[in-house]
Amino acid sequence: MKWAFLLSGIIEIIGGLICYFYPEVIFSQLHILTSIFGIAIVVLGIINIFCYRHYNENQFFRTVYISMMGYHAIVAMTCHGLHQGDWQYAKQAAYTHLVLFIIFIFFYLKDVKPDTPA
């Protein structure tokens, strides 16, 4: 699960920096929220990098991991449902987050531990 945090962090930081510095590449209509969105994505990427660096097998990291898995699933579904004219790279964003969601599921299922009887 640790490596999924790293991959997600790198991709989110790259996407956030592009969204912040070059919003016209991604969005057809520019708004102040595009810059704020870019900053939020960079912060989310940094949180992922910190989770990678300080990873520990406990409930907190598992909860953050499942939250990130859900985030990638929701972003993939939302981007897939957008009209191509609203966001020119909606399908590419949907596919990128879908791949990240699949990677998160793969690593999560790979690291599932059996329940120990009480």
Side-chain angles (χ1 to χ4, degrees):
M1 292 191 326
K2 180 178 177 179
W3 294 100
F5 278 128
L6 178 65
L7 180 64
S8 176
I10 291 170
I11 290 176
E12 293 299 328
I13 288 173
I14 291 170
L17 290 175
I18 291 171
C19 186
Y20 182 75
F21 289 113
Y22 304 106
E24 64 276 358
V25 173
I26 298 174
F27 301 104
S28 58
Q29 296 178 353
L30 299 181
H31 194 272
I32 186 66
L33 291 179
T34 58
S35 297
I36 294 171
F37 182 66
I39 293 169
I41 295 171
V42 169
V43 169
L44 192 62
I46 291 170
I47 290 170
N48 276 288
I49 297 294
F50 282 142
C51 285
Y52 165 76
R53 289 193 62 199
H54 303 289
Y55 183 76
N56 194 359
E57 296 263 343
N58 60 30
Q59 186 63 35
F60 174 75
F61 283 99
R62 188 178 328 264
T63 304
V64 172
Y65 189 87
I66 291 172
S67 299
M68 286 306 303
M69 185 171 28
Y71 164 77
H72 289 299
I74 290 169
V75 171
M77 289 186 289
T78 303
C79 291
H80 182 69
L82 289 176
H83 185 267
Q84 194 71 22
D86 295 336
W87 190 13
Q88 60 187 0
Y89 294 108
K91 296 298 181 200
Q92 291 87 339
Y95 298 144
T96 302
H97 284 279
L98 181 63
V99 167
L100 284 171
F101 174 67
I102 291 169
I103 289 170
F104 267 71
I105 286 179
F106 174 76
F107 282 115
Y108 181 75
L109 293 176
K110 182 177 171 261
D111 289 346
V112 170
K113 307 281 188 280
D115 289 337
T116 56

